[in-house]
Amino acid sequence: MAKTSRKTFLTKSLYLVTSLSLIERGLGLSSEVVAENKPSGSIPEGFTPVSESDPTAKALGFHQDAKNTDFTLYPERKETSAKNQFCKHCAQYTKLNEGWGKCNIVSSGIVSSFGWCSAWSQRS
Ligand code: SF4
């Protein structure tokens, strides 16, 4: 059986770790991103979340949790470049607390900071 030199072993290990790190980043799966994207915050008193069956919400493909987006209808939302598209980063969003805010377009209630709809536009 051939012996692996220490140098070869270290080189291969470094290559493997680097590759895994790049793959993880490419898929948007770093632990920071996953942790950041968890819905949080309680519903502010006196407000009701928008129903996903609301006609405007439905027409725009809105979901209170962007992970539930219909990616067959909105494949662009699945792209790495869209990974930070959440209501909390949208120009139409006004924050009420860490988890919830008002939307100028889907306005029959409040929206989750981690929601998304097809009218999303980058806040300036
Ligand atoms: S317009 Fe923006 S804030 Fe309103 S539901 Fe869509 S993504 Fe969320």
Side-chain angles (χ1 to χ4, degrees):
M1 181 187 321
K3 276 189 167 183
T4 304
S5 73
R6 176 181 280 180
K7 184 179 174 186
T8 303
F9 173 76
L10 289 174
T11 303
K12 286 183 178 178
S13 297
L14 183 61
Y15 179 76
L16 179 64
V17 169
T18 304
S19 299
L20 290 174
S21 174
L22 289 172
I23 290 168
E24 185 181 41
R25 277 195 227 156
L27 295 174
L29 297 175
S30 77
S31 54
E32 277 175 39
V33 172
V34 171
E36 190 205 337
N37 294 343
K38 286 184 182 164
S40 63
S42 54
I43 297 168
E45 203 172 318
F47 292 96
T48 308
V50 169
S51 166
E52 292 177 359
S53 59
D54 169 85
T56 305
K58 232 177 167 171
L60 295 172
F62 172 76
H63 284 278
Q64 294 286 6
D65 186 339
K67 283 184 274 180
N68 296 329
T69 298
D70 184 344
F71 296 112
T72 56
L73 287 176
Y74 306 104
E76 68 279 6
R77 177 59 184 83
K78 212 173 184 179
E79 292 174 11
T80 305
S81 60
K83 71 179 181 181
N84 288 320
Q85 286 187 12
F86 296 105
C87 290
K88 69 179 186 173
H89 299 141
C90 177
Q92 303 301 327
Y93 185 78
T94 303
K95 180 179 173 178
L96 292 170
N97 69 16
E98 284 309 308
W100 298 91
K102 291 180 179 179
C103 169
N104 293 327
I105 296 174
V106 182
S107 56
S108 63
I110 57 174
V111 297
S112 162
S113 59
F114 287 99
W116 181 86
C117 85
S118 58
W120 185 90
S121 61
Q122 179 70 54
R123 181 184 302 170
S124 53

